Amino acid sequence: MKSNFKGLTDNEVQINRQRYGSNILTPPKKESVWKLFFEKFNDPIIRILLVAVFFSLIVSFVHQDFVETLGIIFAILLATGVGFWFEQDANKKFDLLNQVNDDTAVKVIRNGNICEVAKKEIVVGDIVLLETGEEIPADGKLLEAISLQVNESSLTGEPVISKTIIEADFDDYATYPSNRIYRGTTVVDGHCTMEVTEVGDVTEFGKVARESAMKPGEETPLNKQLDTLAKVISVVGFSLGILTFFTLFVKDIFLGGYKYTFSQLMLLGSVLFAFGIFLSKIWLPIFFDGLKLIKKNIRQPGWIGRSRWILWFGLAVLSFVILCGVCYTMEIKPLEPSSWISIETAGRILEYFMVAVTLIVVSVPEGLPMSVTLSLALSMRRMLKTNNLVRKMHACETMGAATVICTDKTGTLTQNRMQVSGTNFSVPEHQVFQDNDFSRLIVENISANSTAYLDFTDPNKPKALGNPTEAALLFWLNKNKINYLDVRNGIQVIEQLTFSTERKYMATIMDSPVLNKRILYVKGAPEIVLDLCENERTDLVSVRENADSDFASVRETIDAQLFEYQKQAMRTLGFAYKELEKTESRGIKELVESGLSFMGIVAISDPVREDVPDAVARCIHAGIDVKIVTGDTPGTAKEIGRQIGIWMESDTDFNIITGVEFEALSDSEALERVQKLKIMCRARPTDKQRLVQLLQQCGEIVAVTGDGTNDAPALNFAQVGLSMGSGTSVAKEASDITLLDDSFNSIATAVM
């Protein structure tokens, strides 16, 4: 830490908190329990039943028989109540899973002193000190960066990103600038000092969280089908009711025993017309639904749905008054009893109306909402047993109707844990450690020339502490029944040069118990390490002091192997060593520059989950397209696509696109391409969201999987969002289903 970092004073902290806000994300607005309950009444069939209750009440008051009305009310309350209870139960489980801690202590410099404050107390302008393993509390720019590597998988999908303040080392192709770090990401190697520039909702993390909280309003396939069914029931029921009423009424006029005068017919027509106006709020939407069913694309004016009953009552009274005025002009006097129909006739007309209403009521299937609700509720319970925590009931049905799954890579398709996938050392036969000194030197290089550790608190699920690439090497030793700590603790380290993005290697001088000599070990980027080597050691008995031409041929072989590893999107490390005299006085940097002996290379990758290829094959067999959307490079994304079975040799550049290229496409160009795309790489949150919305415009039912904050907007806008149980709180909040076992295989199970 530089001594000139004084940090903020207490007064400046207060000023900046008032000016820029606190470092707290505004939580998604929780709907009241009553509002959530009443939302259940938006179901199209439930709405028809509510209309049926209204008409049934009229019939019940006339006949003094309320059994039918009570039955419909009970069916409505049962269907809405069961659905509401099951979703509330799932949300309680989800809230326990998704707790967020804003009280984590963070080291900052204030008033010239280093102190700890809660993450939520951080303000713009704070100088924050971060070390390996710590989560970055806010967005900021780097003031110092020593061997800094950040896990941005929660924000960009990339597990290890090198960060630096040296402009010459900036990565022009990185998703975010190399000298900036962001809230929600984690330091996996090195340490740094940062100045906070954004807090709370204006951080990248906060912006994505806000985007994911927007209501997309995308209807589910079941709701669309039920809505169509509701329209058919409404149109058919009302048409039959109106036809029945007028048939009986006309029959009564011409074939009935009572003869109507012209005055009575005019006045009765005025009453019926006014009553029809009063009921316009009910029959007008049904009329427009009927037009839609016969493919007449005439939209219902918005003001009809927003209008209140008092408006229609006023229009009914006004129309009746106007019609009475018309009657006066025709010398019909509405106030004279001779113009009125008899009580007996009025009762008969009311009876015809009751018959029509009864037809409308009985046309509505009261049991349908309950049967749909129970089916979905039972599906929720069954899916929970297969590690699918369903938060929103409709997701059960929609998942089965999905036609496209857009999945992120890191943590969903892959294990999000680097591991050794290939080795090419010069001595161990079949790359298995043997009982010889050269194998023991390799073990020393990996164990002691490292800053990573393994946490075996949970023996079934050990954790990597520190650089994920170095930890992968330690996991490899552990897999070969070698305890790296026993080796490390038995060695005296003389001097160490930690890895940096500038040098691209790490070096350690130690007294080796294997040879009882002082040895310099080096590991790093193979091309850098090879440039530092003069020869290749195949064993310790026969030392091949190769001439330059011989080592050049060895290097050609190594370069060919590196090319094969890199084609498979693997990270590679080269290893070398050098024997030293104990009287050696030169510094470690000078010793590294020449005279090293090359030992071999290791390839490291984030392996695909074992169950993913089979699960992807099941989805494809079921007619569901699987698309990868990742922040990784095109090469890595294509290799993962090949391993899981979606990228074929026949595929071309038309089937893959970067986020920058996708953003440059117009909507019409993108619409032509989205269904053919198999991979989107270097994708940002907005790119994934746009992809989902364009696929929906093509008529696809889209499911999205993800575990990072960058996935949240797409999870929210998809018909079904599937988050990982170990994912970020923002991703889980935006999803409909949470996969408790983090397994893509559970998605295939959910479809079934």
Side-chain angles (χ1 to χ4, degrees):
M1 184 194 75
K2 293 181 180 177
S3 58
N4 60 347
F5 293 150
K6 301 298 182 184
L8 300 175
T9 64
D10 291 339
N11 186 47
E12 288 171 332
V13 168
Q14 295 301 324
I15 292 171
N16 283 7
R17 182 170 290 123
Q18 290 178 359
R19 182 179 298 171
Y20 302 107
S22 299
N23 192 33
I24 297 176
L25 295 180
T26 304
K29 186 179 178 182
K30 291 285 186 183
E31 304 285 5
S32 70
V33 174
W34 285 110
K35 186 174 181 181
L36 291 172
F37 176 68
F38 284 122
E39 278 182 359
K40 294 296 168 193
F41 290 86
N42 289 331
D43 182 281
I45 301 295
I46 295 292
R47 289 202 299 267
I48 290 187
L49 285 175
L50 291 173
V51 175
V53 165
F54 173 76
F55 285 121
S56 182
L57 268 175
I58 297 173
V59 176
S60 297
F61 277 113
V62 173
H63 295 295
Q64 292 299 302
D65 182 2
F66 294 90
V67 174
E68 177 74 18
T69 304
L70 291 173
I72 299 173
I73 292 172
F74 181 73
I76 292 171
L77 293 177
L78 196 60
T80 53
V82 168
F84 172 74
W85 185 83
F86 271 92
E87 287 193 359
Q88 285 296 104
D89 183 52
N91 280 326
K92 285 178 184 176
K93 293 184 177 73
F94 174 80
D95 288 340
L96 290 173
L97 184 71
N98 207 29
Q99 289 175 341
V100 179
N101 184 12
D102 281 324
D103 295 317
T104 306
V106 180
K107 292 190 290 293
V108 299
I109 302 176
R110 287 185 181 173
N111 303 306
N113 297 313
I114 298 176
C115 59
E116 284 191 335
V117 300
K119 182 167 73 173
K120 63 185 179 184
E121 299 296 328
I122 296 288
V123 298
V124 170
D126 263 327
I127 306 297
V128 179
L129 310 179
L130 294 165
E131 298 177 6
T132 300
E134 293 183 337
E135 184 178 297
I136 296 163
D139 291 3
K141 63 181 179 182
L142 291 170
L143 303 177
E144 283 185 335
I146 310 299
S147 304
L148 184 63
Q149 291 188 312
V150 175
N151 182 344
E152 284 190 353
S153 60
S154 67
L155 198 58
T156 67
E158 298 177 85
V160 183
I161 299 295
S162 296
K163 297 287 184 177
T164 180
I165 58 173
I166 301 171
E167 287 190 27
D169 295 322
F170 284 8
D171 182 357
D172 295 332
Y173 298 100
T175 309
Y176 291 109
S178 296
N179 65 335
R180 291 185 61 83
I181 54 179
Y182 298 90
R183 177 183 176 129
T185 60
T186 308
V187 177
V188 293
D189 195 25
H191 54 92
C192 67
T193 305
M194 69 173 278
E195 180 184 352
V196 175
T197 55
E198 290 90 19
V199 294
D201 288 339
V202 295
T203 60
E204 288 297 310
F205 192 97
K207 290 175 186 174
V208 175
R210 190 165 61 250
E211 188 78 19
S212 68
M214 291 172 59
K215 298 288 185 182
E218 184 67 30
E219 280 194 302
T220 69
L222 179 61
N223 267 357
K224 289 178 181 176
Q225 292 166 10
L226 288 177
D227 194 39
T228 302
L229 177 61
K231 287 172 182 173
V232 171
I233 292 171
S234 300
V235 171
V236 172
F238 270 74
S239 298
L240 283 174
I242 293 169
L243 183 62
T244 300
F245 175 76
F246 280 104
T247 300
L248 292 172
F249 182 58
V250 171
K251 179 187 173 186
D252 191 67
I253 293 174
F254 294 105
L255 301 176
Y258 183 81
K259 300 298 181 185
Y260 297 90
T261 65
F262 180 71
S263 300
Q264 289 172 333
L265 284 174
M266 285 298 295
L267 190 59
L268 180 59
S270 300
V271 171
L272 292 176
F273 183 83
F275 188 64
I277 293 293
F278 176 62
L279 295 180
S280 293
K281 189 170 173 63
I282 294 175
W283 66 261
L284 269 177
I286 295 170
F287 172 75
F288 283 102
D289 287 342
L291 292 177
K292 194 176 291 185
L293 289 173
I294 60 174
K295 309 299 183 186
K296 297 290 184 183
N297 195 20
I298 302 175
R299 295 178 64 86
Q300 173 186 305
W303 64 268
I304 293 177
R306 296 190 299 271
S307 61
R308 297 180 179 276
W309 280 105
I310 189 67
L311 169 67
W312 297 107
F313 178 75
L315 289 174
V317 172
L318 179 62
S319 63
F320 182 71
V321 171
I322 292 171
L323 288 172
C324 285
V326 172
C327 288
Y328 269 109
T329 63
M330 300 171 66
E331 297 185 354
I332 298 170
K333 298 178 180 177
L335 298 178
E336 288 188 0
S338 60
S339 299
W340 303 347
I341 58 173
S342 66
I343 295 294
E344 181 188 346
T345 304
R348 199 161 59 248
I349 293 172
L350 184 59
E351 218 171 275
Y352 301 157
F353 179 73
M354 292 300 105
V355 171
V357 168
T358 303
L359 273 175
I360 294 170
V361 172
V362 298
S363 69
V364 181
E366 294 96 327
L368 181 59
M370 191 63 221
S371 62
V372 170
T373 301
L374 281 177
S375 297
L376 295 179
L378 290 172
S379 293
M380 284 179 72
R381 286 302 168 95
R382 287 182 63 190
M383 289 175 73
L384 184 58
K385 291 177 182 177
T386 58
N387 296 306
N388 291 274
L389 173 59
V390 181
R391 294 181 59 212
K392 297 170 186 175
M393 192 176 288
H394 70 78
C396 297
E397 181 273 337
T398 309
M399 195 62 228
T403 57
V404 176
I405 296 175
C406 295
T407 175
D408 72 329
K409 178 188 77 70
T410 307
T412 304
L413 300 177
T414 64
Q415 297 176 19
N416 198 14
R417 192 181 86 174
M418 308 299 281
Q419 72 178 38
V420 173
S421 299
T423 62
N424 190 3
F425 288 107
S426 40
V427 169
E429 188 178 351
H430 306 304
Q431 302 303 303
V432 175
F433 289 113
Q434 299 172 353
D435 186 18
N436 60 41
D437 285 344
F438 192 84
S439 289
R440 284 188 277 272
L441 286 182
I442 294 171
V443 172
E444 274 191 355
N445 197 338
I446 292 172
S447 300
N449 186 28
S450 172
T451 57
Y453 289 87
L454 300 183
D455 179 3
F456 287 98
T457 304
D458 181 357
N460 298 318
K461 200 174 181 181
K463 287 168 57 179
L465 303 177
N467 186 299
T469 305
E470 288 190 347
L473 296 169
L474 302 184
F475 276 120
W476 182 55
L477 291 184
N478 187 64
K479 185 179 177 181
N480 283 277
K481 305 291 191 291
I482 298 171
N483 188 326
Y484 77 97
L485 269 182
D486 290 345
V487 178
R488 189 180 293 181
N489 293 337
I491 292 173
Q492 182 181 356
V493 174
I494 307 302
E495 190 176 355
Q496 191 169 75
L497 202 61
T498 58
F499 179 88
S500 75
T501 54
E502 295 79 31
R503 289 189 301 271
K504 298 189 186 302
Y505 69 81
M506 177 179 182
T508 304
I509 298 175
M510 62 187 76
D511 288 333
S512 168
V514 174
L515 302 180
N516 290 318
K517 292 182 179 179
R518 185 159 292 178
I519 293 181
L520 165 65
Y521 286 116
V522 177
K523 77 169 187 298
E527 63 276 11
I528 301 296
V529 174
L530 281 165
D531 286 342
L532 301 172
C533 292
E534 292 181 352
N535 56 63
E536 180 194 28
R537 294 286 175 98
T538 57
D539 57 50
L540 298 173
V541 179
S542 170
V543 178
R544 206 171 68 200
E545 297 290 355
N546 300 314
D548 288 345
S549 60
D550 292 333
F551 188 61
S553 64
V554 169
R555 178 158 185 170
E556 284 181 14
T557 305
I558 295 168
D559 286 340
Q561 180 64 69
L562 286 171
F563 180 70
E564 286 300 313
Y565 285 145
Q566 287 159 3
K567 271 203 312 186
Q568 298 175 51
M570 296 181 183
R571 296 171 185 240
T572 51
L573 283 176
F575 293 82
Y577 82 106
K578 180 180 183 179
E579 295 179 19
L580 305 174
E581 296 295 331
K582 292 200 175 183
T583 56
E584 180 63 68
S585 59
R586 286 177 295 173
I588 189 169
K589 287 186 179 180
E590 189 178 352
L591 289 168
V592 168
E593 288 176 359
S594 63
L596 299 182
S597 298
F598 193 72
M599 302 174 79
I601 56 176
V602 164
I604 294 172
S605 67
D606 181 9
V608 168
R609 290 174 177 269
E610 291 181 5
D611 58 352
V612 166
D614 180 59
V616 169
R618 289 168 64 196
C619 289
I620 293 172
H621 183 69
I624 303 171
D625 281 339
V626 179
K627 301 179 188 295
I628 297 176
V629 187
T630 178
D632 263 322
T633 62
T636 301
K638 279 199 282 193
E639 175 58 23
I640 295 298
R642 185 191 64 77
Q643 291 181 31
I644 67 172
I646 68 169
W647 186 264
M648 307 299 174
E649 289 184 9
S650 57
D651 289 323
T652 65
D653 288 343
F654 189 76
N655 304 107
I656 185 171
I657 197 169
T658 65
V660 174
E661 292 169 342
F662 187 65
E663 185 183 38
L665 295 179
S666 66
D667 281 351
S668 58
E669 291 172 328
L671 271 171
E672 289 179 12
R673 194 164 174 187
V674 287
Q675 288 183 299
K676 298 293 183 184
L677 281 179
K678 291 188 174 183
I679 295 171
M680 180 184 289
C681 48
R682 290 298 188 197
R684 294 154 298 186
T686 50
D687 299 323
K688 194 168 184 178
Q689 178 185 326
R690 185 187 181 209
L691 174 66
V692 168
Q693 291 174 308
L694 288 171
L695 285 167
Q696 288 170 341
Q697 286 181 40
C698 295
E700 304 286 359
I701 308 298
V702 185
V704 169
T705 72
D707 62 345
T709 302
N710 58 316
D711 302 309
L715 287 167
N716 184 46
F717 277 83
Q719 278 98 339
V720 180
L722 300 112
S723 62
M724 302 293 149
S726 61
T728 63
S729 59
V730 177
K732 286 183 282 188
E733 191 69 53
S735 65
D736 304 300
I737 299 175
T738 298
L739 306 179
L740 299 178
D741 61 350
D742 288 6
S743 172
F744 190 90
N745 188 52
S746 295
I747 298 171
T749 305
V751 173
M752 297 307 131

